[in-house]
Amino acid sequence: MPELPEVQAVVSALAPVLAGHTIAQVAQRRQDVASQHVITRSLKGKGLSLSPLLEGRKITAITRRAKRIVFSLDDGSAFYVHLGMTGRLTLDPQDELPHTHLTLHLSPPRGKTGAPGTGHRALHFSDPRRFGKVVHLPTGQHEDSLGPEPLDLPAATLHALLQATDRPVKPALLDQSLIVGLGNIYVDESLHAAQIHPQRKTTSLTLPEATKLNAEIQRILKTAIAHKGSTLRDYRDAEGNPGAFQHLHVVYDREGQPCKTCGTPIQRIVQSGRSTHFCPTCQPRKRPR
DNA sequence: GTCCATGTTCTTTA
DNA sequence: CTAAAGAACATGGA
């Protein structure tokens, strides 16, 4: 569930509440929910015990990078949470969700105790399918092979990135090493808005087409952020609230339903093992002249 | 029982 | 070498 807008909604909810809190206690139910960030792929692993790394550390910032929720700590280290498909971070839930693999017990900053809403907090990470993960980043170790963020990407850069590879544009935009943050929903919506057929080769896209695509990606992501993301089934923000952008989907998960732009039934095809939804009228293989 | 799912990563195939 | 396709991960809903 979590593409850039959903992850951003979680970060926006958590950051103002939890920045400055100290991790008092870590309750880790599953050892394999966490791992150490490693450049080499040989020693990845059987899990990592988080409590000795996190307990006593103060959270200095909570930010988003790609689809990762990054917790920066006062000793220069950091960790990130990736929600996978069904992961959720929930703050002070009424009832603990099933498949809660990790809970962070947090103490408020000194001097803030007593003010309303600033007591101890509990941040729960739950994830039924367990595609999500927590990754510890030792001081200095950060980025790996992530592409640029889409929201402030110059159109010429996107065009250059697309020209540098040669494959259908749909799977290219899903590739996090090319550009980050987009998933199946927002790629389909962006390609529709830019009137580009998902099977068009990246090398065939002209600069004007890439410029339009770049603008539509940014417009759709920003609109989705304003609507706190899309909830198809599982996604909830840190307060347990669903997003609202799914009501504005034009193509995604609308196979056979009329295109909201032209009325043509939306088609579904499979590319790289993923569903692609598009409008054959709005997104012709060849550009109309 | 079947198919499908907002993601990533590894393996196989071309 | 590149890239596409497939499978895998694990669980639950339709």
Side-chain angles (χ1 to χ4, degrees):
Chain A
M1 357 196 110
E3 302 180 33
L4 187 152
E6 292 76 33
V7 175
Q8 185 62 52
V10 173
V11 167
S12 297
L14 292 181
V17 177
L18 295 186
H21 278 57
T22 297
I23 302 171
Q25 194 198 342
V26 177
Q28 187 170 350
R29 304 270 182 78
R30 293 192 66 101
Q31 189 77 358
D32 62 4
V33 74
S35 63
Q36 189 84 30
H37 177 79
V38 278
I39 305 296
T40 58
R41 357 188 119 185
S42 48
L43 7 88
K44 40 188 338 192
K46 314 98 205 115
L48 176 71
S49 196
L50 289 171
S51 61
L53 296 167
L54 303 189
E55 284 179 2
R57 298 273 62 82
K58 184 160 81 175
I59 297 170
T60 56
I62 301 175
T63 54
R64 180 192 61 76
R65 168 68 177 126
K67 299 174 187 173
R68 302 171 176 179
I69 301 158
V70 183
F71 294 75
S72 299
L73 303 177
D74 61 354
D75 63 352
S77 69
F79 66 94
Y80 71 79
V81 175
H82 195 297
L83 298 175
M85 294 277 263
T86 56
R88 289 176 56 175
L89 282 177
T90 311
L91 198 55
D92 298 328
Q94 301 256 335
D95 299 294
E96 187 171 292
L97 291 164
H99 304 285
T100 294
H101 308 311
L102 179 73
T103 301
L104 302 181
H105 296 280
L106 305 161
S107 305
R110 199 184 299 270
K112 281 208 175 174
T113 29
T118 56
H120 284 67
R121 302 280 191 160
L123 183 64
H124 293 243
F125 175 56
S126 58
D127 184 13
R129 287 175 73 178
R130 281 191 269 142
F131 291 172
K133 58 185 177 178
V134 180
V135 178
H136 182 252
L137 305 164
T139 304
Q141 276 190 37
H142 270 257
E143 290 303 290
D144 28 7
S145 54
L146 292 176
E149 291 286 331
L151 286 176
D152 52 6
L153 189 68
T157 305
L158 180 65
H159 184 244
L161 288 169
L162 294 172
Q163 291 301 313
T165 186
D166 183 28
R167 43 182 160 157
V169 62
K170 164 74 188 263
L173 292 174
L174 287 175
D175 183 348
Q176 301 295 299
S177 68
L178 189 86
I179 180 173
V180 303
L182 299 171
N184 222 22
I185 295 173
Y186 297 105
V187 169
D188 282 4
E189 294 296 325
S190 297
L191 287 173
H192 177 270
Q195 299 182 282
I196 295 172
H197 192 286
Q199 291 175 318
R200 288 276 304 280
K201 289 281 201 148
T202 51
T203 47
S204 78
L205 296 176
T206 63
L207 180 57
E209 286 177 319
T211 301
K212 171 76 168 165
L213 176 60
N214 197 59
E216 293 299 338
I217 288 171
Q218 294 183 359
R219 182 184 64 80
I220 285 170
L221 290 178
K222 286 173 183 172
T223 307
I225 289 169
H227 287 78
K228 305 202 171 177
S230 303
T231 296
L232 298 180
R233 184 178 303 146
D234 300 298
Y235 170 72
R236 296 294 187 282
D237 73 6
E239 258 77 56
N241 304 309
F245 190 71
Q246 67 277 8
H247 302 302
L248 300 180
H249 291 177
V250 176
V251 290
Y252 189 81
D253 204 22
R254 297 192 67 246
E255 181 185 12
Q257 299 176 58
C259 172
K260 293 182 183 177
T261 301
C262 73
T264 304
I266 299 302
Q267 280 190 14
R268 174 184 175 275
I269 60 175
V270 174
Q271 289 178 285
S272 306
R274 313 290 305 277
S275 287
T276 293
H277 310 78
F278 71 104
C279 170
T281 300
C282 295
Q283 300 162 265
R285 267 171 202 284
K286 291 196 155 187
R287 299 281 313 179
R289 47 161 291 110

